[in-house]
Amino acid sequence: MPELPEVETVRDGLDRLVVGAVVRDVEVFREYSVRRHDGGPAGFADQLRGRRVIGAARRGKYLWLPLDEPGHEPSAALLAHLGMSGQLLVRDPAVAGEWAHPHLRVRLHVDGAPSGARYVDFVDQRTFGHLSVTDLAPTPDGAPGGYGSPLPALPEPVAHIARDLLDPALDRDLVVARLRRRRTGIKRALLDQTVVSGVGNIYADEALWRARVHFARATDAMTRPVAHRVLDAAAEVMTEALGQGGTSFDALYVDVNGESGYFSRSLAVYGQAGEPCPRCATPVRRDEFMNRSSFSCPGCQPRPRQGRW
DNA sequence: CACACGTCCTGGTAGC
DNA sequence: TGCTACCAGGACGTGT
């Protein structure tokens, strides 16, 4: 699943391979992939045609490409969320040949990409991802809108999303305070993108294992040091994953060149039910939680007496 | 057929 | 009591 490290891998790829390109044409093969957009797919295409991509920014799992507006400050961006299975593939058919990917949902035809690429393909099997063109609004704090953002601006649909753990403008003490004000379990809070963004099911489980904290630990009973330990662990595991190009155990995630990440080899608990905990060898346990799976080590992460599921 | 799960939306609750 | 902010859980969607 694309979480922060995977989305950052894609952002970095777009930054290097696509920024500077002009969108010549747009093909939408699946209307549902252009959700939340005035004018539908036709309006989407109209707003992109002729526009130059001037940056590649990310906050949490949201990714956007600010678009130039000659004579004005940029005020719009191509916004993308990869959902569970979305990919943005930068392609040059002269090198890699034409292809007909069964899950190709949207294709941007571009001119002038620094890589010489002609297509930016949005491929998405499970269709939880989507693209749209949205207005940019100034950030309340005047800082860049997100990681890699060339502007102190943010797409409107991202305004409610908190900064993420790789964002230099993130205030971790503030996140700890917000966590401890909540009356819920720590994993729920970590997955809530309005508290801190970028953490999904995989890295939540990995971070909690590293911090030796059970997923149901009540946030309002957590001390500041423990809350910091969890955030530090989350930042650490995501940074390591980023260094390896992300996680791709199910082959649904690949970077902009179609290459898989290697972090799946490093997962301690996620998807490891029954396997020995790398720290204490207790078999990893799988629980159903929030209509999804939760993996933890019963030895290192004992259930709290009064947890919040 | 159950399962994978990120986000949005809804209905309900807690607390002031 | 009334309001608001917060919280939990269902729906969405496709393919193995």
Side-chain angles (χ1 to χ4, degrees):
Chain A
M1 293 337 126
E3 299 184 25
L4 185 149
E6 293 74 28
V7 181
E8 173 54 25
T9 302
V10 173
R11 188 209 65 78
D12 179 66
L14 294 170
D15 212 344
R16 289 182 291 106
L17 305 176
V18 176
V19 169
V22 173
V23 179
R24 188 182 75 252
D25 204 3
V26 179
E27 293 178 278
V28 177
F29 303 103
R30 173 71 68 112
E31 293 206 2
Y32 187 72
S33 295
V34 187
R35 288 200 285 298
R36 302 179 197 107
H37 197 279
D38 294 338
F44 173 76
D46 288 344
Q47 289 183 60
L48 281 173
R49 231 175 265 119
R51 307 290 292 278
R52 184 181 300 276
V53 172
I54 59 163
R58 180 190 54 74
R59 177 181 289 208
K61 306 170 200 170
Y62 278 93
L63 180 65
W64 66 94
L65 306 177
L67 304 169
D68 78 332
E69 209 152 340
H72 297 84
E73 281 293 295
S75 65
L78 170 61
L79 179 66
H81 196 292
L82 303 179
M84 286 175 67
S85 57
Q87 307 169 28
L88 282 168
L89 301 175
V90 178
R91 307 198 69 253
D92 182 355
V95 173
E98 292 289 345
W99 74 336
H101 194 289
H103 304 124
L104 177 62
R105 309 305 190 191
V106 178
R107 167 167 287 174
L108 308 185
H109 296 253
V110 299
D111 292 329
S115 54
R118 310 298 296 183
Y119 301 153
V120 177
D121 284 341
F122 181 62
V123 170
D124 188 16
Q125 181 201 105
R126 296 181 189 168
T127 67
F128 269 24
H130 70 277
L131 305 181
S132 62
V133 177
T134 78
D135 290 337
L136 290 172
T139 51
D141 56 8
Y147 194 92
S149 173
L151 307 164
L154 203 56
E156 284 173 352
V158 185
H160 68 290
I161 302 294
R163 290 186 182 277
D164 61 65
L165 288 164
L166 296 191
D167 190 328
L170 176 76
D171 179 346
R172 277 204 207 178
D173 291 337
L174 183 67
V175 177
V176 166
R178 253 190 253 160
L179 274 177
R180 298 176 71 243
R181 225 176 12 242
R182 302 204 123 218
R183 302 172 55 84
T184 186
I186 180 62
K187 185 170 174 182
R188 266 182 200 285
L190 282 179
L191 294 178
D192 184 338
Q193 308 295 302
T194 68
V195 175
V196 63
S197 68
V199 183
N201 204 38
I202 298 172
Y203 294 111
D205 280 2
E206 293 297 310
L208 290 168
W209 177 81
R210 288 194 184 208
R212 303 178 192 238
V213 171
H214 188 274
F215 61 81
R217 176 89 70 92
T219 48
D220 49 342
M222 283 174 63
T223 62
R224 284 184 190 85
V226 170
H228 271 288
R229 204 167 86 211
V230 170
L231 293 181
D232 291 348
E236 185 185 275
V237 68
M238 292 196 295
T239 300
E240 287 176 23
L242 180 56
Q244 297 177 48
T247 300
S248 181
F249 61 91
D250 62 0
L252 284 175
Y253 171 77
V254 288
D255 69 16
V256 290
N257 294 311
E259 299 293 327
S260 297
Y262 287 96
F263 193 69
S264 56
R265 298 174 192 175
S266 311
L267 295 174
V269 287
Y270 186 84
Q272 309 297 313
E275 298 296 318
C277 164
R279 210 161 37 206
C280 75
T282 304
V284 170
R285 172 187 165 92
R286 173 183 179 273
D287 288 292
E288 288 191 19
F289 174 72
M290 294 175 72
N291 289 324
R292 36 188 54 69
S293 295
S294 237
F295 298 90
S296 60
C297 170
C300 303
Q301 301 165 267
R303 283 262 298 268
R305 285 216 185 90
Q306 295 180 320
R308 294 182 193 274
W309 288 59

mmCIF file with all atom_site columns, all heavy atoms in Angstrom, chain A residues 162-180:
data_model
loop_
_atom_site.group_PDB
_atom_site.id
_atom_site.type_symbol
_atom_site.label_atom_id
_atom_site.label_alt_id
_atom_site.label_comp_id
_atom_site.label_asym_id
_atom_site.label_entity_id
_atom_site.label_seq_id
_atom_site.pdbx_PDB_ins_code
_atom_site.Cartn_x
_atom_site.Cartn_y
_atom_site.Cartn_z
_atom_site.occupancy
_atom_site.B_iso_or_equiv
_atom_site.pdbx_formal_charge
_atom_site.auth_seq_id
_atom_site.auth_comp_id
_atom_site.auth_asym_id
_atom_site.auth_atom_id
_atom_site.pdbx_PDB_model_num
ATOM 1   N N   . ALA A 1 162 ? -2.990 16.985 8.380  1.00 0.00 ? 162 ALA A N   1
ATOM 2   C CA  . ALA A 1 162 ? -1.872 17.480 9.197  1.00 0.00 ? 162 ALA A CA  1
ATOM 3   C C   . ALA A 1 162 ? -0.558 17.325 8.440  1.00 0.00 ? 162 ALA A C   1
ATOM 4   O O   . ALA A 1 162 ? -0.461 16.552 7.485  1.00 0.00 ? 162 ALA A O   1
ATOM 5   C CB  . ALA A 1 162 ? -1.810 16.707 10.508 1.00 0.00 ? 162 ALA A CB  1
ATOM 6   N N   . ARG A 1 163 ? 0.458  18.050 8.861  1.00 0.00 ? 163 ARG A N   1
ATOM 7   C CA  . ARG A 1 163 ? 1.791  17.837 8.298  1.00 0.00 ? 163 ARG A CA  1
ATOM 8   C C   . ARG A 1 163 ? 2.279  16.446 8.691  1.00 0.00 ? 163 ARG A C   1
ATOM 9   O O   . ARG A 1 163 ? 1.801  15.868 9.656  1.00 0.00 ? 163 ARG A O   1
ATOM 10  C CB  . ARG A 1 163 ? 2.751  18.914 8.806  1.00 0.00 ? 163 ARG A CB  1
ATOM 11  C CG  . ARG A 1 163 ? 2.461  20.298 8.243  1.00 0.00 ? 163 ARG A CG  1
ATOM 12  C CD  . ARG A 1 163 ? 3.505  21.317 8.652  1.00 0.00 ? 163 ARG A CD  1
ATOM 13  N NE  . ARG A 1 163 ? 3.182  22.634 8.148  1.00 0.00 ? 163 ARG A NE  1
ATOM 14  C CZ  . ARG A 1 163 ? 3.459  23.059 6.907  1.00 0.00 ? 163 ARG A CZ  1
ATOM 15  N NH1 . ARG A 1 163 ? 4.085  22.265 6.064  1.00 0.00 ? 163 ARG A NH1 1
ATOM 16  N NH2 . ARG A 1 163 ? 3.116  24.265 6.516  1.00 0.00 ? 163 ARG A NH2 1
ATOM 17  N N   . ASP A 1 164 ? 3.250  15.932 7.923  1.00 0.00 ? 164 ASP A N   1
ATOM 18  C CA  . ASP A 1 164 ? 3.725  14.572 8.181  1.00 0.00 ? 164 ASP A CA  1
ATOM 19  C C   . ASP A 1 164 ? 5.085  14.577 8.852  1.00 0.00 ? 164 ASP A C   1
ATOM 20  O O   . ASP A 1 164 ? 5.702  15.623 9.047  1.00 0.00 ? 164 ASP A O   1
ATOM 21  C CB  . ASP A 1 164 ? 3.744  13.769 6.882  1.00 0.00 ? 164 ASP A CB  1
ATOM 22  C CG  . ASP A 1 164 ? 4.670  14.383 5.851  1.00 0.00 ? 164 ASP A CG  1
ATOM 23  O OD1 . ASP A 1 164 ? 5.897  14.418 6.092  1.00 0.00 ? 164 ASP A OD1 1
ATOM 24  O OD2 . ASP A 1 164 ? 4.179  14.839 4.794  1.00 0.00 ? 164 ASP A OD2 1
ATOM 25  N N   . LEU A 1 165 ? 5.544  13.398 9.195  1.00 0.00 ? 165 LEU A N   1
ATOM 26  C CA  . LEU A 1 165 ? 6.756  13.257 10.008 1.00 0.00 ? 165 LEU A CA  1
ATOM 27  C C   . LEU A 1 165 ? 8.037  13.573 9.245  1.00 0.00 ? 165 LEU A C   1
ATOM 28  O O   . LEU A 1 165 ? 9.097  13.675 9.852  1.00 0.00 ? 165 LEU A O   1
ATOM 29  C CB  . LEU A 1 165 ? 6.820  11.835 10.584 1.00 0.00 ? 165 LEU A CB  1
ATOM 30  C CG  . LEU A 1 165 ? 5.791  11.590 11.698 1.00 0.00 ? 165 LEU A CG  1
ATOM 31  C CD1 . LEU A 1 165 ? 5.616  10.105 11.952 1.00 0.00 ? 165 LEU A CD1 1
ATOM 32  C CD2 . LEU A 1 165 ? 6.208  12.305 12.974 1.00 0.00 ? 165 LEU A CD2 1
ATOM 33  N N   . LEU A 1 166 ? 7.980  13.726 7.945  1.00 0.00 ? 166 LEU A N   1
ATOM 34  C CA  . LEU A 1 166 ? 9.171  14.138 7.192  1.00 0.00 ? 166 LEU A CA  1
ATOM 35  C C   . LEU A 1 166 ? 9.165  15.633 6.887  1.00 0.00 ? 166 LEU A C   1
ATOM 36  O O   . LEU A 1 166 ? 10.114 16.165 6.320  1.00 0.00 ? 166 LEU A O   1
ATOM 37  C CB  . LEU A 1 166 ? 9.274  13.360 5.872  1.00 0.00 ? 166 LEU A CB  1
ATOM 38  C CG  . LEU A 1 166 ? 9.480  11.847 5.942  1.00 0.00 ? 166 LEU A CG  1
ATOM 39  C CD1 . LEU A 1 166 ? 9.823  11.296 4.570  1.00 0.00 ? 166 LEU A CD1 1
ATOM 40  C CD2 . LEU A 1 166 ? 10.555 11.482 6.956  1.00 0.00 ? 166 LEU A CD2 1
ATOM 41  N N   . ASP A 1 167 ? 8.081  16.302 7.244  1.00 0.00 ? 167 ASP A N   1
ATOM 42  C CA  . ASP A 1 167 ? 7.927  17.725 6.928  1.00 0.00 ? 167 ASP A CA  1
ATOM 43  C C   . ASP A 1 167 ? 8.755  18.565 7.896  1.00 0.00 ? 167 ASP A C   1
ATOM 44  O O   . ASP A 1 167 ? 8.553  18.491 9.114  1.00 0.00 ? 167 ASP A O   1
ATOM 45  C CB  . ASP A 1 167 ? 6.441  18.090 7.045  1.00 0.00 ? 167 ASP A CB  1
ATOM 46  C CG  . ASP A 1 167 ? 6.133  19.468 6.498  1.00 0.00 ? 167 ASP A CG  1
ATOM 47  O OD1 . ASP A 1 167 ? 7.001  20.363 6.587  1.00 0.00 ? 167 ASP A OD1 1
ATOM 48  O OD2 . ASP A 1 167 ? 5.015  19.655 5.991  1.00 0.00 ? 167 ASP A OD2 1
ATOM 49  N N   . PRO A 1 168 ? 9.719  19.356 7.381  1.00 0.00 ? 168 PRO A N   1
ATOM 50  C CA  . PRO A 1 168 ? 10.551 20.170 8.270  1.00 0.00 ? 168 PRO A CA  1
ATOM 51  C C   . PRO A 1 168 ? 9.721  21.145 9.121  1.00 0.00 ? 168 PRO A C   1
ATOM 52  O O   . PRO A 1 168 ? 10.166 21.553 10.198 1.00 0.00 ? 168 PRO A O   1
ATOM 53  C CB  . PRO A 1 168 ? 11.456 20.960 7.303  1.00 0.00 ? 168 PRO A CB  1
ATOM 54  C CG  . PRO A 1 168 ? 11.403 20.216 6.021  1.00 0.00 ? 168 PRO A CG  1
ATOM 55  C CD  . PRO A 1 168 ? 10.072 19.536 5.966  1.00 0.00 ? 168 PRO A CD  1
ATOM 56  N N   . ALA A 1 169 ? 8.525  21.493 8.658  1.00 0.00 ? 169 ALA A N   1
ATOM 57  C CA  . ALA A 1 169 ? 7.698  22.454 9.397  1.00 0.00 ? 169 ALA A CA  1
ATOM 58  C C   . ALA A 1 169 ? 6.805  21.778 10.440 1.00 0.00 ? 169 ALA A C   1
ATOM 59  O O   . ALA A 1 169 ? 6.031  22.435 11.126 1.00 0.00 ? 169 ALA A O   1
ATOM 60  C CB  . ALA A 1 169 ? 6.841  23.269 8.426  1.00 0.00 ? 169 ALA A CB  1
ATOM 61  N N   . LEU A 1 170 ? 6.933  20.440 10.581 1.00 0.00 ? 170 LEU A N   1
ATOM 62  C CA  . LEU A 1 170 ? 6.102  19.753 11.579 1.00 0.00 ? 170 LEU A CA  1
ATOM 63  C C   . LEU A 1 170 ? 6.604  20.062 12.988 1.00 0.00 ? 170 LEU A C   1
ATOM 64  O O   . LEU A 1 170 ? 7.802  20.047 13.251 1.00 0.00 ? 170 LEU A O   1
ATOM 65  C CB  . LEU A 1 170 ? 6.148  18.232 11.364 1.00 0.00 ? 170 LEU A CB  1
ATOM 66  C CG  . LEU A 1 170 ? 5.389  17.428 12.433 1.00 0.00 ? 170 LEU A CG  1
ATOM 67  C CD1 . LEU A 1 170 ? 3.893  17.514 12.193 1.00 0.00 ? 170 LEU A CD1 1
ATOM 68  C CD2 . LEU A 1 170 ? 5.831  15.975 12.469 1.00 0.00 ? 170 LEU A CD2 1
ATOM 69  N N   . ASP A 1 171 ? 5.657  20.323 13.881 1.00 0.00 ? 171 ASP A N   1
ATOM 70  C CA  . ASP A 1 171 ? 5.973  20.552 15.295 1.00 0.00 ? 171 ASP A CA  1
ATOM 71  C C   . ASP A 1 171 ? 5.582  19.284 16.066 1.00 0.00 ? 171 ASP A C   1
ATOM 72  O O   . ASP A 1 171 ? 4.418  19.046 16.325 1.00 0.00 ? 171 ASP A O   1
ATOM 73  C CB  . ASP A 1 171 ? 5.177  21.772 15.790 1.00 0.00 ? 171 ASP A CB  1
ATOM 74  C CG  . ASP A 1 171 ? 5.426  22.061 17.269 1.00 0.00 ? 171 ASP A CG  1
ATOM 75  O OD1 . ASP A 1 171 ? 5.989  21.198 17.975 1.00 0.00 ? 171 ASP A OD1 1
ATOM 76  O OD2 . ASP A 1 171 ? 5.048  23.157 17.709 1.00 0.00 ? 171 ASP A OD2 1
ATOM 77  N N   . ARG A 1 172 ? 6.594  18.480 16.424 1.00 0.00 ? 172 ARG A N   1
ATOM 78  C CA  . ARG A 1 172 ? 6.279  17.188 17.061 1.00 0.00 ? 172 ARG A CA  1
ATOM 79  C C   . ARG A 1 172 ? 5.666  17.336 18.439 1.00 0.00 ? 172 ARG A C   1
ATOM 80  O O   . ARG A 1 172 ? 4.843  16.514 18.838 1.00 0.00 ? 172 ARG A O   1
ATOM 81  C CB  . ARG A 1 172 ? 7.539  16.317 17.162 1.00 0.00 ? 172 ARG A CB  1
ATOM 82  C CG  . ARG A 1 172 ? 7.795  15.586 15.888 1.00 0.00 ? 172 ARG A CG  1
ATOM 83  C CD  . ARG A 1 172 ? 8.614  14.351 16.130 1.00 0.00 ? 172 ARG A CD  1
ATOM 84  N NE  . ARG A 1 172 ? 9.352  14.071 14.902 1.00 0.00 ? 172 ARG A NE  1
ATOM 85  C CZ  . ARG A 1 172 ? 10.205 13.085 14.726 1.00 0.00 ? 172 ARG A CZ  1
ATOM 86  N NH1 . ARG A 1 172 ? 10.464 12.278 15.730 1.00 0.00 ? 172 ARG A NH1 1
ATOM 87  N NH2 . ARG A 1 172 ? 10.803 12.913 13.582 1.00 0.00 ? 172 ARG A NH2 1
ATOM 88  N N   . ASP A 1 173 ? 6.080  18.371 19.176 1.00 0.00 ? 173 ASP A N   1
ATOM 89  C CA  . ASP A 1 173 ? 5.463  18.587 20.493 1.00 0.00 ? 173 ASP A CA  1
ATOM 90  C C   . ASP A 1 173 ? 3.965  18.836 20.342 1.00 0.00 ? 173 ASP A C   1
ATOM 91  O O   . ASP A 1 173 ? 3.165  18.409 21.175 1.00 0.00 ? 173 ASP A O   1
ATOM 92  C CB  . ASP A 1 173 ? 6.123  19.775 21.204 1.00 0.00 ? 173 ASP A CB  1
ATOM 93  C CG  . ASP A 1 173 ? 7.553  19.460 21.622 1.00 0.00 ? 173 ASP A CG  1
ATOM 94  O OD1 . ASP A 1 173 ? 7.869  18.258 21.775 1.00 0.00 ? 173 ASP A OD1 1
ATOM 95  O OD2 . ASP A 1 173 ? 8.343  20.400 21.792 1.00 0.00 ? 173 ASP A OD2 1
ATOM 96  N N   . LEU A 1 174 ? 3.615  19.545 19.285 1.00 0.00 ? 174 LEU A N   1
ATOM 97  C CA  . LEU A 1 174 ? 2.199  19.821 19.034 1.00 0.00 ? 174 LEU A CA  1
ATOM 98  C C   . LEU A 1 174 ? 1.450  18.524 18.718 1.00 0.00 ? 174 LEU A C   1
ATOM 99  O O   . LEU A 1 174 ? 0.321  18.315 19.168 1.00 0.00 ? 174 LEU A O   1
ATOM 100 C CB  . LEU A 1 174 ? 2.064  20.806 17.871 1.00 0.00 ? 174 LEU A CB  1
ATOM 101 C CG  . LEU A 1 174 ? 0.648  21.255 17.514 1.00 0.00 ? 174 LEU A CG  1
ATOM 102 C CD1 . LEU A 1 174 ? 0.063  22.103 18.636 1.00 0.00 ? 174 LEU A CD1 1
ATOM 103 C CD2 . LEU A 1 174 ? 0.650  22.041 16.206 1.00 0.00 ? 174 LEU A CD2 1
ATOM 104 N N   . VAL A 1 175 ? 2.079  17.638 17.949 1.00 0.00 ? 175 VAL A N   1
ATOM 105 C CA  . VAL A 1 175 ? 1.443  16.357 17.628 1.00 0.00 ? 175 VAL A CA  1
ATOM 106 C C   . VAL A 1 175 ? 1.247  15.542 18.907 1.00 0.00 ? 175 VAL A C   1
ATOM 107 O O   . VAL A 1 175 ? 0.181  14.946 19.118 1.00 0.00 ? 175 VAL A O   1
ATOM 108 C CB  . VAL A 1 175 ? 2.276  15.549 16.609 1.00 0.00 ? 175 VAL A CB  1
ATOM 109 C CG1 . VAL A 1 175 ? 1.638  14.196 16.349 1.00 0.00 ? 175 VAL A CG1 1
ATOM 110 C CG2 . VAL A 1 175 ? 2.418  16.327 15.310 1.00 0.00 ? 175 VAL A CG2 1
ATOM 111 N N   . VAL A 1 176 ? 2.262  15.531 19.767 1.00 0.00 ? 176 VAL A N   1
ATOM 112 C CA  . VAL A 1 176 ? 2.139  14.801 21.032 1.00 0.00 ? 176 VAL A CA  1
ATOM 113 C C   . VAL A 1 176 ? 0.989  15.369 21.855 1.00 0.00 ? 176 VAL A C   1
ATOM 114 O O   . VAL A 1 176 ? 0.174  14.618 22.409 1.00 0.00 ? 176 VAL A O   1
ATOM 115 C CB  . VAL A 1 176 ? 3.468  14.864 21.823 1.00 0.00 ? 176 VAL A CB  1
ATOM 116 C CG1 . VAL A 1 176 ? 3.255  14.427 23.269 1.00 0.00 ? 176 VAL A CG1 1
ATOM 117 C CG2 . VAL A 1 176 ? 4.513  13.986 21.152 1.00 0.00 ? 176 VAL A CG2 1
ATOM 118 N N   . ALA A 1 177 ? 0.894  16.671 21.902 1.00 0.00 ? 177 ALA A N   1
ATOM 119 C CA  . ALA A 1 177 ? -0.198 17.292 22.667 1.00 0.00 ? 177 ALA A CA  1
ATOM 120 C C   . ALA A 1 177 ? -1.555 16.893 22.082 1.00 0.00 ? 177 ALA A C   1
ATOM 121 O O   . ALA A 1 177 ? -2.489 16.564 22.810 1.00 0.00 ? 177 ALA A O   1
ATOM 122 C CB  . ALA A 1 177 ? -0.035 18.817 22.660 1.00 0.00 ? 177 ALA A CB  1
ATOM 123 N N   . ARG A 1 178 ? -1.637 16.893 20.763 1.00 0.00 ? 178 ARG A N   1
ATOM 124 C CA  . ARG A 1 178 ? -2.894 16.533 20.110 1.00 0.00 ? 178 ARG A CA  1
ATOM 125 C C   . ARG A 1 178 ? -3.244 15.066 20.359 1.00 0.00 ? 178 ARG A C   1
ATOM 126 O O   . ARG A 1 178 ? -4.395 14.721 20.609 1.00 0.00 ? 178 ARG A O   1
ATOM 127 C CB  . ARG A 1 178 ? -2.788 16.779 18.598 1.00 0.00 ? 178 ARG A CB  1
ATOM 128 C CG  . ARG A 1 178 ? -3.581 17.978 18.130 1.00 0.00 ? 178 ARG A CG  1
ATOM 129 C CD  . ARG A 1 178 ? -3.613 17.986 16.618 1.00 0.00 ? 178 ARG A CD  1
ATOM 130 N NE  . ARG A 1 178 ? -2.743 19.031 16.099 1.00 0.00 ? 178 ARG A NE  1
ATOM 131 C CZ  . ARG A 1 178 ? -2.261 19.049 14.856 1.00 0.00 ? 178 ARG A CZ  1
ATOM 132 N NH1 . ARG A 1 178 ? -2.540 18.073 14.030 1.00 0.00 ? 178 ARG A NH1 1
ATOM 133 N NH2 . ARG A 1 178 ? -1.504 20.024 14.461 1.00 0.00 ? 178 ARG A NH2 1
ATOM 134 N N   . LEU A 1 179 ? -2.215 14.215 20.275 1.00 0.00 ? 179 LEU A N   1
ATOM 135 C CA  . LEU A 1 179 ? -2.432 12.788 20.545 1.00 0.00 ? 179 LEU A CA  1
ATOM 136 C C   . LEU A 1 179 ? -3.010 12.585 21.937 1.00 0.00 ? 179 LEU A C   1
ATOM 137 O O   . LEU A 1 179 ? -3.976 11.854 22.127 1.00 0.00 ? 179 LEU A O   1
ATOM 138 C CB  . LEU A 1 179 ? -1.096 12.035 20.469 1.00 0.00 ? 179 LEU A CB  1
ATOM 139 C CG  . LEU A 1 179 ? -0.602 11.526 19.128 1.00 0.00 ? 179 LEU A CG  1
ATOM 140 C CD1 . LEU A 1 179 ? 0.767  10.878 19.302 1.00 0.00 ? 179 LEU A CD1 1
ATOM 141 C CD2 . LEU A 1 179 ? -1.576 10.508 18.549 1.00 0.00 ? 179 LEU A CD2 1
ATOM 142 N N   . ARG A 1 180 ? -2.389 13.244 22.911 1.00 0.00 ? 180 ARG A N   1
ATOM 143 C CA  . ARG A 1 180 ? -2.769 13.005 24.302 1.00 0.00 ? 180 ARG A CA  1
ATOM 144 C C   . ARG A 1 180 ? -4.099 13.646 24.669 1.00 0.00 ? 180 ARG A C   1
ATOM 145 O O   . ARG A 1 180 ? -4.682 13.316 25.699 1.00 0.00 ? 180 ARG A O   1
ATOM 146 C CB  . ARG A 1 180 ? -1.656 13.495 25.233 1.00 0.00 ? 180 ARG A CB  1
ATOM 147 C CG  . ARG A 1 180 ? -0.353 12.734 25.012 1.00 0.00 ? 180 ARG A CG  1
ATOM 148 C CD  . ARG A 1 180 ? 0.778  13.272 25.841 1.00 0.00 ? 180 ARG A CD  1
ATOM 149 N NE  . ARG A 1 180 ? 0.608  12.971 27.253 1.00 0.00 ? 180 ARG A NE  1
ATOM 150 C CZ  . ARG A 1 180 ? 0.465  13.897 28.192 1.00 0.00 ? 180 ARG A CZ  1
ATOM 151 N NH1 . ARG A 1 180 ? 0.482  15.173 27.881 1.00 0.00 ? 180 ARG A NH1 1
ATOM 152 N NH2 . ARG A 1 180 ? 0.318  13.530 29.446 1.00 0.00 ? 180 ARG A NH2 1
#
